[in-house]
Coordinates of all heavy atoms in Angstrom, one line a residue:
M1 N 110.6 137.0 69.2 CA 111.8 136.2 69.4 C 112.2 135.6 68.1 O 111.4 135.3 67.2 CB 111.4 135.0 70.3 CG 111.2 135.4 71.7 SD 111.4 134.1 72.9 CE 110.1 133.1 72.4
P2 N 113.5 135.5 67.9 CA 114.0 135.0 66.7 C 113.7 133.6 66.4 O 113.7 132.8 67.4 CB 115.5 135.3 66.6 CG 115.8 135.5 68.1 CD 114.6 136.0 68.8
L3 N 113.5 133.1 65.2 CA 113.3 131.8 64.9 C 114.7 131.1 64.5 O 115.4 131.7 63.8 CB 112.4 131.6 63.7 CG 110.8 131.7 63.9 CD1 110.1 131.7 62.6 CD2 110.3 130.6 64.8
Y4 N 114.8 130.0 65.1 CA 116.0 129.3 64.8 C 115.6 127.9 64.1 O 114.5 127.4 64.4 CB 116.8 128.9 66.0 CG 117.5 130.1 66.6 CD1 116.9 130.7 67.7 CD2 118.5 130.7 66.0 CE1 117.5 131.9 68.2 CE2 119.1 131.9 66.5 CZ 118.5 132.4 67.7 OH 119.1 133.6 68.2
V5 N 116.5 127.5 63.2 CA 116.2 126.1 62.5 C 117.2 125.1 63.0 O 118.4 125.3 63.1 CB 116.3 126.4 61.0 CG1 116.1 125.1 60.2 CG2 115.3 127.4 60.5
Y6 N 116.6 124.0 63.3 CA 117.4 122.8 63.8 C 117.1 121.7 62.9 O 116.0 121.5 62.4 CB 117.1 122.5 65.2 CG 117.5 123.5 66.3 CD1 116.8 124.5 66.7 CD2 118.8 123.3 66.8 CE1 117.3 125.5 67.5 CE2 119.3 124.3 67.8 CZ 118.5 125.3 68.1 OH 119.0 126.2 69.1
E7 N 118.1 120.8 62.9 CA 117.9 119.6 62.1 C 118.6 118.5 62.8 O 119.6 118.6 63.4 CB 118.5 119.9 60.6 CG 117.9 119.0 59.6 CD 118.5 119.3 58.2 OE1 118.4 120.5 57.8 OE2 119.0 118.4 57.5
A8 N 118.0 117.2 62.6 CA 118.5 116.1 63.3 C 119.8 115.8 62.6 O 120.1 115.9 61.5 CB 117.5 114.9 63.1
K9 N 120.8 115.3 63.5 CA 122.2 115.0 63.0 C 122.0 113.6 62.3 O 122.7 113.3 61.3 CB 123.1 114.8 64.2 CG 123.6 116.1 64.7 CD 124.6 115.9 65.9 CE 125.0 117.2 66.5 NZ 125.7 117.0 67.8
D10 N 121.2 112.8 62.9 CA 121.1 111.5 62.3 C 119.6 111.2 61.9 O 118.7 110.9 62.8 CB 121.5 110.4 63.3 CG 121.4 109.0 62.8 OD1 121.0 108.8 61.6 OD2 121.6 108.0 63.6
P11 N 119.2 111.4 60.7 CA 117.8 111.2 60.3 C 117.2 109.9 60.6 O 116.0 109.7 60.8 CB 117.8 111.4 58.7 CG 119.1 112.1 58.4 CD 120.1 111.6 59.5
E12 N 118.1 108.9 60.7 CA 117.6 107.5 61.0 C 117.0 107.5 62.4 O 116.1 106.7 62.8 CB 118.8 106.5 61.0 CG 119.5 106.4 59.7 CD 118.8 105.5 58.7 OE1 118.6 104.3 59.2 OE2 118.4 105.9 57.6
A13 N 117.6 108.3 63.3 CA 117.2 108.2 64.7 C 116.2 109.4 65.1 O 115.8 109.6 66.2 CB 118.4 108.4 65.7
A14 N 115.7 110.0 64.0 CA 114.9 111.2 64.2 C 113.4 110.9 64.1 O 113.0 110.0 63.5 CB 115.3 112.3 63.2
C15 N 112.6 111.8 64.7 CA 111.2 111.7 64.5 C 110.8 112.6 63.4 O 111.6 113.3 62.8 CB 110.5 112.2 65.9 SG 110.7 113.9 66.2
D16 N 109.5 112.5 63.1 CA 108.9 113.3 62.0 C 109.2 114.8 62.1 O 109.3 115.5 61.2 CB 107.4 113.1 61.9 CG 107.1 111.7 61.3 OD1 108.0 111.1 60.8 OD2 106.0 111.2 61.3
R17 N 109.2 115.3 63.4 CA 109.3 116.6 63.6 C 110.8 117.2 63.3 O 110.9 118.2 62.7 CB 109.1 117.0 65.0 CG 109.0 118.5 65.3 CD 108.3 118.8 66.6 NE 108.4 120.2 66.7 CZ 108.6 121.0 67.8 NH1 108.7 120.3 68.9 NH2 108.6 122.2 67.9
C18 N 111.8 116.4 63.6 CA 113.1 117.0 63.5 C 113.8 116.4 62.2 O 114.9 116.9 61.9 CB 114.0 116.7 64.7 SG 114.2 115.0 65.2
R19 N 113.3 115.4 61.6 CA 114.0 114.7 60.5 C 114.3 115.7 59.4 O 115.4 115.8 58.9 CB 113.2 113.6 60.0 CG 114.0 112.7 59.0 CD 113.1 111.6 58.5 NE 113.0 110.6 59.6 CZ 111.7 110.3 60.0 NH1 110.7 110.7 59.4 NH2 111.6 109.4 61.0
G20 N 113.3 116.5 59.0 CA 113.5 117.5 57.9 C 113.8 118.8 58.3 O 113.8 119.7 57.6
G21 N 114.0 119.0 59.6 CA 114.3 120.3 60.2 C 113.1 120.9 60.8 O 112.0 120.7 60.3
F22 N 113.3 121.7 61.8 CA 112.1 122.4 62.4 C 112.6 123.8 62.9 O 113.8 123.9 63.2 CB 111.5 121.6 63.5 CG 112.5 121.3 64.8 CD1 112.5 122.2 65.8 CD2 113.3 120.2 64.7 CE1 113.4 122.0 66.8 CE2 114.2 120.0 65.8 CZ 114.2 120.9 66.8
E23 N 111.6 124.6 63.0 CA 111.8 126.0 63.5 C 111.4 126.1 64.9 O 110.3 125.6 65.3 CB 111.2 127.0 62.6 CG 111.8 127.1 61.3 CD 111.0 128.2 60.5 OE1 109.8 128.2 60.6 OE2 111.7 128.9 59.7
I24 N 112.1 126.8 65.7 CA 111.7 127.1 67.1 C 112.0 128.6 67.4 O 113.1 129.0 67.1 CB 112.3 126.0 68.0 CG1 111.7 126.1 69.4 CG2 113.8 126.2 68.0 CD1 112.0 124.9 70.2
A25 N 111.1 129.2 68.2 CA 111.4 130.6 68.6 C 112.1 130.6 69.9 O 111.8 129.9 70.9 CB 110.1 131.3 68.7
Q26 N 113.3 131.2 69.9 CA 114.1 131.2 71.1 C 114.6 132.6 71.4 O 114.9 133.3 70.5 CB 115.3 130.3 70.9 CG 115.1 128.8 71.0 CD 116.4 128.0 71.0 OE1 117.1 128.0 70.1 NE2 116.6 127.4 72.1
S27 N 114.7 132.9 72.7 CA 115.3 134.2 73.0 C 116.7 134.2 72.8 O 117.3 133.1 72.9 CB 114.8 134.6 74.4 OG 116.0 134.8 75.1
L28 N 117.4 135.3 72.6 CA 118.9 135.3 72.4 C 119.6 134.7 73.5 O 120.7 134.2 73.4 CB 119.3 136.8 72.1 CG 118.8 137.4 70.7 CD1 119.1 138.8 70.6 CD2 119.4 136.6 69.6
K29 N 119.0 134.8 74.7 CA 119.8 134.4 75.9 C 119.5 132.9 76.2 O 120.1 132.3 77.0 CB 119.6 135.3 77.1 CG 118.1 135.4 77.5 CD 118.1 136.4 78.6 CE 116.7 136.5 79.3 NZ 115.5 136.5 78.5
D30 N 118.6 132.3 75.4 CA 118.5 130.8 75.6 C 119.7 130.0 75.0 O 120.3 130.5 74.0 CB 117.2 130.3 74.8 CG 116.0 130.7 75.6 OD1 116.0 131.0 76.7 OD2 114.8 130.6 74.9
D31 N 120.0 128.9 75.6 CA 121.0 128.1 75.1 C 120.5 127.4 73.8 O 119.3 127.2 73.7 CB 121.4 127.0 76.1 CG 122.2 127.6 77.2 OD1 122.8 128.6 77.0 OD2 122.2 126.9 78.3
R32 N 121.4 127.2 72.9 CA 120.9 126.5 71.7 C 120.5 125.0 72.1 O 121.1 124.4 73.0 CB 122.0 126.5 70.6 CG 123.2 125.8 70.9 CD 124.1 125.8 69.7 NE 124.5 127.2 69.3 CZ 125.2 127.4 68.2 NH1 125.6 126.5 67.4 NH2 125.6 128.6 67.9
L33 N 119.6 124.5 71.3 CA 119.2 123.1 71.6 C 120.2 122.2 71.1 O 121.0 122.4 70.1 CB 117.9 122.9 70.8 CG 116.6 123.6 71.2 CD1 115.5 123.1 70.3 CD2 116.3 123.3 72.7
T34 N 120.3 121.1 71.8 CA 121.2 120.0 71.4 C 120.5 118.7 71.1 O 121.0 117.8 70.5 CB 122.4 119.7 72.4 OG1 121.7 119.4 73.7 CG2 123.3 120.9 72.7
A35 N 119.2 118.7 71.5 CA 118.4 117.5 71.3 C 117.0 118.0 70.9 O 116.5 119.0 71.3 CB 118.3 116.7 72.6
C36 N 116.3 117.2 70.1 CA 115.0 117.5 69.7 C 114.0 117.4 70.9 O 114.1 116.5 71.7 CB 114.5 116.4 68.7 SG 112.8 116.4 68.2
P37 N 113.2 118.5 71.0 CA 112.3 118.5 72.2 C 111.2 117.4 72.1 O 110.6 117.1 73.1 CB 111.6 119.9 72.0 CG 112.1 120.5 70.8 CD 113.1 119.7 70.2
A38 N 110.9 116.9 71.0 CA 110.0 115.9 70.8 C 110.5 114.4 71.1 O 109.9 113.7 71.8 CB 109.3 115.9 69.4
C39 N 111.7 114.1 70.5 CA 112.1 112.8 70.6 C 113.5 112.6 71.4 O 113.9 111.5 71.6 CB 112.2 112.1 69.3 SG 113.5 112.7 68.2
G40 N 114.2 113.7 71.5 CA 115.5 113.7 72.2 C 116.7 113.3 71.3 O 117.8 113.1 71.8
A41 N 116.5 113.2 70.0 CA 117.6 112.9 69.2 C 118.4 114.1 69.0 O 118.0 115.3 69.1 CB 117.0 112.5 67.7
P42 N 119.7 113.9 68.8 CA 120.6 115.0 68.7 C 120.4 115.8 67.5 O 120.1 115.3 66.4 CB 122.1 114.3 68.6 CG 121.9 112.9 68.8 CD 120.4 112.6 68.7
V43 N 120.4 117.2 67.7 CA 120.1 118.1 66.5 C 121.2 119.1 66.6 O 121.9 119.3 67.5 CB 118.8 118.8 66.7 CG1 117.5 117.8 66.6 CG2 118.6 119.5 68.1
Y44 N 121.4 119.8 65.4 CA 122.3 120.8 65.3 C 121.5 122.1 64.7 O 120.5 121.9 64.0 CB 123.5 120.5 64.4 CG 123.2 120.2 63.0 CD1 123.2 121.3 62.1 CD2 122.8 119.0 62.6 CE1 122.9 121.0 60.7 CE2 122.5 118.8 61.3 CZ 122.6 119.7 60.3 OH 122.2 119.5 59.1
R45 N 122.1 123.2 65.0 CA 121.5 124.4 64.5 C 121.9 124.7 63.1 O 123.1 124.7 62.8 CB 121.7 125.6 65.4 CG 120.8 126.8 65.1 CD 120.7 127.7 66.3 NE 121.7 128.7 66.2 CZ 122.0 129.6 67.1 NH1 121.3 129.6 68.3 NH2 122.9 130.5 67.0
V46 N 120.9 124.9 62.2 CA 121.2 125.3 60.8 C 121.5 126.8 60.7 O 120.7 127.6 61.2 CB 120.0 124.9 59.9 CG1 120.3 125.2 58.5 CG2 119.7 123.4 60.1
I47 N 122.6 127.1 60.1 CA 123.0 128.5 60.1 C 122.1 129.1 58.8 O 122.2 128.5 57.7 CB 124.4 128.7 59.8 CG1 125.3 128.0 60.9 CG2 124.8 130.2 59.6 CD1 125.0 128.5 62.2
Q48 N 121.4 130.2 59.0 CA 120.6 130.7 58.0 C 121.3 132.0 57.5 O 121.8 132.8 58.3 CB 119.2 131.0 58.5 CG 118.4 129.8 58.7 CD 117.0 130.2 59.4 OE1 116.9 130.5 60.5 NE2 116.1 130.3 58.4
A49 N 121.2 132.1 56.3 CA 121.6 133.4 55.6 C 120.9 134.6 56.2 O 119.7 134.5 56.3 CB 121.6 133.4 54.2
P50 N 121.6 135.7 56.6 CA 120.8 136.8 57.1 C 119.8 137.4 56.0 O 120.2 137.4 54.8 CB 121.9 137.9 57.4 CG 123.2 137.3 57.1 CD 123.0 135.9 56.5
G51 N 118.7 137.8 56.5 CA 117.7 138.4 55.6 C 116.9 137.4 54.8 O 116.0 137.7 54.0
L52 N 117.2 136.1 55.0 CA 116.3 135.0 54.5 C 114.9 135.1 55.1 O 114.7 135.2 56.3 CB 116.9 133.7 54.9 CG 116.5 132.4 54.0 CD1 117.2 132.6 52.6 CD2 117.1 131.2 54.7
T53 N 114.0 135.3 54.2 CA 112.6 135.4 54.6 C 112.1 134.1 55.0 O 112.5 133.0 54.7 CB 111.7 135.9 53.5 OG1 111.6 135.0 52.5 CG2 112.2 137.2 53.0
H54 N 111.1 134.1 55.9 CA 110.5 133.0 56.4 C 109.9 132.0 55.3 O 110.0 130.8 55.3 CB 109.4 133.3 57.4 CG 108.8 132.1 58.2 ND1 107.6 131.6 58.0 CD2 109.4 131.3 59.1 CE1 107.5 130.6 58.8 NE2 108.5 130.4 59.4
S55 N 109.2 132.6 54.4 CA 108.7 131.9 53.2 C 109.7 131.2 52.5 O 109.5 130.0 52.0 CB 107.8 132.7 52.3 OG 108.6 133.7 51.7
K56 N 110.8 131.8 52.3 CA 112.0 131.2 51.6 C 112.4 130.0 52.3 O 112.7 128.9 51.7 CB 113.1 132.2 51.3 CG 113.7 132.1 49.9 CD 114.6 133.3 49.8 CE 115.5 133.0 48.5 NZ 116.6 134.0 48.5
T57 N 112.6 130.1 53.6 CA 113.0 129.0 54.4 C 112.1 127.9 54.3 O 112.5 126.8 54.2 CB 113.2 129.5 55.9 OG1 113.9 130.7 56.0 CG2 113.9 128.5 56.8
D58 N 110.8 128.2 54.4 CA 109.8 127.2 54.2 C 109.9 126.4 53.0 O 109.8 125.2 52.9 CB 108.4 127.9 54.2 CG 107.7 127.5 55.5 OD1 107.3 126.4 55.6 OD2 107.5 128.5 56.2
L59 N 110.1 127.2 51.8 CA 110.3 126.5 50.6 C 111.5 125.6 50.6 O 111.5 124.4 50.1 CB 110.5 127.5 49.5 CG 109.2 128.1 48.8 CD1 109.7 129.1 47.8 CD2 108.5 127.0 48.1
H60 N 112.5 126.1 51.2 CA 113.8 125.3 51.3 C 113.5 124.0 52.0 O 113.9 122.9 51.6 CB 114.8 126.2 52.1 CG 116.0 125.4 52.5 ND1 117.2 126.1 52.8 CD2 116.2 124.1 52.9 CE1 118.1 125.2 53.2 NE2 117.5 124.0 53.3
Y61 N 112.8 124.1 53.1 CA 112.5 122.9 53.9 C 111.6 121.9 53.2 O 111.7 120.7 53.2 CB 112.2 123.2 55.3 CG 113.4 123.4 56.1 CD1 113.9 124.8 56.2 CD2 114.1 122.3 56.6 CE1 115.1 124.9 56.8 CE2 115.3 122.5 57.3 CZ 115.8 123.8 57.3 OH 117.0 124.0 58.0
R62 N 110.6 122.5 52.5 CA 109.7 121.7 51.8 C 110.5 120.9 50.7 O 110.2 119.7 50.5 CB 108.6 122.6 51.2 CG 107.2 121.9 51.4 CD 106.1 122.9 51.0 NE 106.0 124.0 51.8 CZ 105.6 125.2 51.4 NH1 105.4 125.5 50.2 NH2 105.5 126.1 52.2
A63 N 111.3 121.7 49.9 CA 112.1 121.0 48.9 C 113.0 119.9 49.5 O 113.1 118.8 48.9 CB 112.9 122.1 48.1
K64 N 113.6 120.3 50.6 CA 114.6 119.4 51.1 C 113.9 118.1 51.7 O 114.4 117.0 51.6 CB 115.2 120.1 52.3 CG 116.8 119.7 52.4 CD 117.5 120.5 53.5 CE 118.6 119.7 53.9 NZ 119.2 120.3 55.1
R65 N 112.7 118.3 52.3 CA 112.0 117.2 52.8 C 111.5 116.3 51.6 O 111.4 115.1 51.8 CB 110.7 117.8 53.6 CG 110.6 117.1 54.9 CD 109.4 117.7 55.6 NE 109.8 118.8 56.5 CZ 109.1 119.9 56.7 NH1 108.0 120.1 56.1 NH2 109.6 120.8 57.5
A66 N 111.3 116.9 50.5 CA 110.9 116.1 49.4 C 112.1 115.4 48.7 O 112.1 114.5 47.9 CB 110.2 116.9 48.3
G67 N 113.3 115.7 49.3 CA 114.5 115.0 48.9 C 115.2 115.5 47.7 O 116.0 114.8 47.1
F68 N 115.0 116.8 47.4 CA 115.7 117.3 46.2 C 116.0 118.7 46.4 O 115.4 119.5 47.1 CB 114.9 117.1 44.9 CG 113.7 117.9 44.8 CD1 113.7 119.2 44.4 CD2 112.5 117.4 45.3 CE1 112.5 120.0 44.4 CE2 111.3 118.1 45.3 CZ 111.4 119.4 44.9
H69 N 117.0 119.2 45.7 CA 117.3 120.6 45.5 C 117.8 120.8 44.1 O 118.2 120.0 43.4 CB 118.1 121.3 46.5 CG 119.5 120.6 46.7 ND1 119.8 120.0 47.9 CD2 120.4 120.4 45.8 CE1 121.0 119.5 47.7 NE2 121.4 119.7 46.5
T70 N 117.6 122.1 43.6 CA 118.0 122.3 42.3 C 119.3 123.2 42.2 O 119.4 124.1 43.0 CB 116.9 123.2 41.5 OG1 115.7 122.5 41.8 CG2 117.1 123.2 40.0
L71 N 120.2 122.9 41.3 CA 121.4 123.6 41.3 C 121.4 124.4 40.0 O 121.0 123.9 38.9 CB 122.7 122.8 41.4 CG 122.9 122.1 42.7 CD1 124.1 121.2 42.6 CD2 123.1 123.1 43.8
K72 N 121.9 125.7 40.0 CA 122.0 126.5 38.8 C 123.5 126.8 38.6 O 124.1 127.3 39.6 CB 121.1 127.7 38.9 CG 121.1 128.5 37.6 CD 120.3 129.8 37.7 CE 121.1 130.9 38.3 NZ 120.4 132.1 38.4
K73 N 124.0 126.5 37.5 CA 125.4 126.8 37.3 C 125.6 128.3 37.0 O 124.9 128.9 36.2 CB 125.9 126.1 36.0 CG 127.4 126.0 36.0 CD 127.9 125.0 34.9 CE 129.4 124.9 35.0 NZ 129.8 123.8 34.1
V74 N 126.3 128.9 37.8 CA 126.4 130.5 37.7 C 127.7 130.8 37.0 O 127.8 131.9 36.4 CB 126.3 131.2 39.1 CG1 124.8 131.2 39.5 CG2 127.2 130.7 40.1
S75 N 128.7 130.1 37.3 CA 130.0 130.3 36.4 C 130.8 129.0 36.5 O 130.3 128.0 37.2 CB 130.8 131.5 36.9 OG 131.2 131.1 38.2
K76 N 131.9 128.9 35.9 CA 132.7 127.7 35.9 C 133.0 127.2 37.3 O 133.5 127.9 38.1 CB 134.0 128.0 35.2 CG 134.7 126.8 34.6 CD 135.8 127.2 33.7 CE 136.4 125.9 33.0 NZ 137.2 125.1 33.8
G77 N 132.5 126.1 37.6 CA 132.8 125.5 38.9 C 131.9 126.0 40.0 O 132.1 125.6 41.2
E78 N 131.1 126.9 39.7 CA 130.2 127.6 40.7 C 128.7 127.3 40.5 O 128.3 127.5 39.4 CB 130.4 129.1 40.8 CG 131.5 129.6 41.7 CD 131.5 131.1 41.9 OE1 130.8 131.5 42.7 OE2 132.3 131.7 41.2
Y79 N 128.1 126.9 41.5 CA 126.7 126.6 41.4 C 125.9 127.3 42.4 O 126.3 127.5 43.6 CB 126.4 125.1 41.6 CG 127.0 124.2 40.5 CD1 128.4 123.9 40.6 CD2 126.3 123.9 39.4 CE1 128.9 123.1 39.6 CE2 126.9 123.2 38.4 CZ 128.2 122.8 38.4 OH 128.6 122.0 37.5
E80 N 124.8 127.7 42.1 CA 123.9 128.4 43.0 C 122.8 127.4 43.4 O 122.2 126.8 42.5 CB 123.3 129.8 42.4 CG 122.7 130.6 43.4 CD 122.1 131.8 42.6 OE1 122.7 132.3 41.7 OE2 121.0 132.2 43.0
K81 N 122.5 127.4 44.6 CA 121.5 126.4 45.0 C 120.1 127.0 44.9 O 119.9 128.2 45.5 CB 121.6 126.0 46.5 CG 122.1 124.6 46.6 CD 122.1 124.1 48.1 CE 123.0 122.9 48.2 NZ 123.1 122.5 49.6
I82 N 119.2 126.5 44.3 CA 117.9 127.0 44.1 C 116.9 126.0 44.7 O 116.9 124.9 44.4 CB 117.5 127.3 42.7 CG1 118.5 128.1 42.0 CG2 116.1 127.8 42.6 CD1 118.2 128.4 40.6
Y83 N 116.2 126.5 45.7 CA 115.4 125.5 46.4 C 114.0 125.4 45.9 O 113.5 126.4 45.3 CB 115.3 125.9 47.9 CG 116.7 125.8 48.5 CD1 117.3 127.0 48.8 CD2 117.2 124.6 48.7 CE1 118.6 126.9 49.4 CE2 118.5 124.5 49.3 CZ 119.2 125.7 49.6 OH 120.4 125.6 50.2
Ligands
ZN1 ZN1 112.7 114.5 67.1

């Protein structure tokens, strides 16, 4: 089953599980979640780039949870996000 990433809309109202985002395996025919299964806070689905590996996603979330991300300037006015 594909893994989907969800994140709390309001981190203030979120539990530890959904605050920094969580992954859940869902079948394609399942409805997308609108609330955290643990605390019921509203969540939204994070759109993931196709081909993003699981480990990369993990790093992304670890970095994000730590409250930072790194930007690399790739050209004038354009930045690439490095997690
Ligand atoms: Zn929650």
Side-chain angles (χ1 to χ4, degrees):
M1 285 203 294
L3 278 173
Y4 293 102
V5 177
Y6 288 89
E7 204 174 305
K9 283 182 185 166
D10 178 8
E12 301 275 305
C15 68
D16 285 347
R17 186 163 180 218
C18 60
R19 189 177 295 123
F22 63 91
E23 285 180 327
I24 190 164
Q26 287 189 293
S27 125
L28 289 171
K29 55 186 191 314
D30 282 349
D31 286 337
R32 65 172 62 183
L33 294 179
T34 55
C36 169
C39 71
V43 292
Y44 65 93
R45 194 157 91 186
V46 178
I47 306 301
Q48 290 178 277
L52 200 68
T53 67
H54 189 251
S55 63
K56 220 173 163 186
T57 312
D58 248 295
L59 270 178
H60 167 154
Y61 276 92
R62 227 173 287 148
K64 219 175 152 192
R65 231 176 261 141
F68 66 86
H69 53 240
T70 314
L71 295 175
K72 184 179 89 178
K73 198 168 186 177
V74 286
S75 65
K76 204 170 184 287
E78 267 190 86
Y79 293 85
E80 195 183 317
K81 252 188 200 177
I82 306 182
Y83 297 107

